[in-house]
Amino acid sequence: MRLVYLDNNATTRMREEVLEAMMPYCKDVYGNASSIHRFGRQARVAVDKARQEVASLLGASSPEEIIFTSGGTEADNFAIKGAVHAMRKKGNHIITSSIEHSAVLNSMKALEKDGYKITYLPVDGYGLINPNDVKKAITDSTVLISIMYANNEVGTIEPIEKMGEIAKERGVYFHTDAVQAVGKVTFQAKDLPVDILSMSAHKIYGPKGVGAIYIKKSTKVDTIMHGGHQEMGRRAGTENVPGIVGLGRAAEFAKKEAQEEPKRLCELRDYLYKNIAQAIPDTRLNGEPEKRLPNTLNIGFKYLEGESIMLNMDMEGIAVSTGSACTSGTLEPSHVLTAMGIDAGDAQGSIRFSLGRDNTKKDIDYVLKVLPPIIQRLRDMSPLYEKGK
Ligand SMILES: *Cc1c(COP(=O)(O)O)cnc(C)c1O
């Protein structure tokens, strides 16, 4: 059976070159990057090189703006909790959106319990946040605005520059969760009105369990991990040297392929959508048609449950997802689709296809062969479909 992995927004397959780069640091170069002897120095050199590669991919002004973390989730926690802690004398109000990743949403929930006031901005039918809503929500006690660069479920790319400018005018820190944008959208952090940015290695063909936070020079973000003096005193804990080396190598490739690969994915993705829309009636495209990640396609199949579509595709070797990996298994409709005003029934029948560098046109043709009969079979069994006809 052909295996087709179309869940690259959940995680990606590590590149061979990344694994190769990591191997020496799992075996022979085992020194602690904080040690002064040659074992330690070798590890330090590798960590610093990776820092430069990540800084270059993100377009930072200097490598010192990059701090390594245990992943996107820690980067989001660090950004949000660290920034509001540093600013706590100024106020206790935070602005975010209703379609954030759970790493952001649940950080906000935790802060709410600690007495912070959170404004969750709405989105339109495409998942877009209106910059005017940001402007209106800012008060004298606002200390942070945290809005994702691109949404992981529907792929909508938010107007980060406009919102960042508004934050800058009002002297409020702006954080963006760029985990999905990195490698798919080109930007230079130094030119963006963004103070703090989160990224993760395993979404760009790097290893799991490592990520980074970009903190623009002179932005005050307190540490949330207390201990040793690693990472310039901003994030304690012995560095995950193999992971960091892997992230550096993945960043190098992401930069090299930033022009061509998104274009290729976009063509494949549009080919997939065009043919699904032609072959299957009663579908809807979820997300902004144009301002969208090049690899992401979220489709609603009317009258159906996403879970059963997903499981039937899995039996044919195709991996897709319903909503995000972090909220699947809860059986609740996606908070992103709900915020977009899509009714619970239609939200339930939505599937996310997220393409990656391994995917070829043959993979897509296989999906196009397998999917229409699955949908037809499931609809023939669906009581909703009977009523809807
Ligand atoms: C995957 C993801 C995260 C979490 O990153 P991890 O490295 O898996 O912790 C955060 N935000 C978004 C938008 C993501 O897609």
Side-chain angles (χ1 to χ4, degrees):
M1 184 172 51
R2 195 181 180 96
L3 292 182
V4 178
Y5 184 76
L6 294 175
D7 201 10
N8 287 274
N9 285 11
T11 196
T12 59
R13 185 175 71 82
M14 213 195 322
R15 303 181 79 108
E16 294 296 332
E17 299 94 329
V18 168
L19 181 61
E20 266 168 40
M22 290 169 69
M23 284 310 280
Y25 299 90
C26 301
K27 289 170 70 185
D28 306 322
V29 193
Y30 53 80
N32 185 319
S34 301
S35 300
I36 312 293
H37 47 60
R38 69 187 63 234
F39 294 81
R41 286 198 308 270
Q42 267 183 308
R44 167 60 48 203
V45 167
V47 168
D48 287 345
K49 178 164 176 276
R51 203 184 306 282
Q52 271 168 14
E53 278 151 0
V54 173
S56 162
L57 171 65
L58 299 182
S61 302
S62 102
E64 278 94 77
E65 293 177 322
I66 307 299
I67 311 289
F68 293 116
T69 67
S70 67
T73 299
E74 187 192 323
D76 283 338
N77 273 263
F78 186 173
I80 295 163
K81 295 171 184 170
V84 301
H85 193 260
M87 289 292 118
R88 69 195 183 287
K89 289 214 178 78
K90 188 191 165 199
N92 69 344
H93 178 232
I94 311 171
I95 299 169
T96 188
S97 85
S98 43
I99 61 161
E100 297 296 313
H101 188 270
S102 44
V104 169
L105 283 181
N106 288 331
S107 291
M108 297 295 172
K109 297 255 161 68
L111 288 170
E112 224 162 358
K113 281 193 190 141
D114 283 345
Y116 282 89
K117 300 275 178 282
I118 320 285
T119 300
Y120 299 91
L121 296 177
V123 295
D124 69 9
Y126 292 137
L128 280 171
I129 295 148
N130 185 342
N132 274 328
D133 289 344
V134 176
K135 195 177 246 170
K136 279 186 266 174
I138 298 177
T139 71
D140 289 339
S141 58
T142 307
V143 284
L144 178 71
I145 299 169
S146 176
I147 290 174
M148 68 198 327
Y149 205 131
N151 182 266
N152 46 307
E153 290 188 31
V154 294
T156 299
I157 299 170
E158 301 298 340
I160 288 305
E161 287 187 48
K162 283 197 189 117
M163 296 188 285
E165 283 302 338
I166 292 165
K168 205 170 162 184
E169 274 165 31
R170 295 291 301 268
V172 176
Y173 282 160
F174 191 88
H175 163 248
T176 189
D177 173 342
V179 172
Q180 290 294 343
V182 172
K184 301 175 193 144
V185 181
T186 42
F187 63 83
Q188 292 281 296
K190 59 172 176 287
D191 301 330
L192 282 180
V194 165
D195 304 290
I196 318 165
L197 180 148
S198 315
M199 61 123 18
S200 175
H202 75 100
K203 304 285 173 82
I204 59 164
Y205 314 106
K208 290 166 184 62
V210 58
I213 180 172
Y214 157 87
I215 305 179
K216 195 168 266 170
K217 195 170 174 283
S218 76
T219 304
K220 291 193 183 67
V221 180
D222 284 351
T223 188
I224 58 166
M225 195 73 91
H226 303 273
H229 279 284
Q230 292 90 352
E231 297 297 290
M232 298 154 275
R234 305 190 87 159
R235 196 271 188 186
T238 300
E239 288 93 342
N240 169 8
V241 179
I244 289 169
V245 167
L247 166 56
R249 194 86 172 110
E252 217 183 314
F253 280 103
K255 186 171 178 185
K256 211 184 295 172
E257 295 174 359
Q259 303 305 324
E260 293 309 313
E261 183 60 6
K263 234 182 277 168
R264 188 187 76 90
L265 290 177
C266 190
E267 272 167 29
L268 267 188
R269 191 256 335 248
D270 290 347
Y271 172 74
L272 173 61
Y273 177 59
K274 196 184 79 195
N275 284 284
I276 288 179
Q278 250 165 33
I280 305 174
D282 292 323
T283 60
R284 58 168 294 154
L285 175 67
N286 296 320
E288 156 70 41
E290 298 296 325
K291 291 175 210 130
R292 188 158 45 111
L293 291 173
N295 76 320
T296 307
L297 178 62
N298 190 308
I299 302 182
F301 297 91
K302 215 167 165 53
Y303 315 117
L304 296 181
E305 289 277 348
E307 298 284 300
S308 42
I309 304 171
M310 196 250 293
L311 292 173
N312 276 272
M313 291 179 80
D314 185 39
M315 284 190 273
E316 302 290 342
I318 303 168
V320 294
S321 86
T322 59
S324 80
C326 313
T327 44
S328 63
T330 58
L331 282 177
E332 275 171 31
S334 143
H335 71 286
V336 176
L337 299 178
T338 305
M340 285 162 61
I342 296 168
D343 75 56
D346 287 348
Q348 294 280 18
S350 292
I351 290 288
R352 178 185 70 187
F353 304 83
S354 49
L355 283 62
R357 61 183 290 270
D358 290 331
N359 296 132
T360 60
K361 181 159 177 294
K362 278 208 174 106
D363 289 342
I364 304 303
D365 285 332
Y366 178 63
V367 174
L368 291 169
K369 190 180 93 184
V370 165
L371 183 61
I374 290 178
I375 299 294
Q376 192 53 54
R377 188 156 32 88
L378 291 173
R379 279 184 176 163
D380 285 342
M381 297 187 299
S382 161
L384 294 170
Y385 184 52
E386 276 306 307
K387 266 189 262 163
K389 265 201 290 201

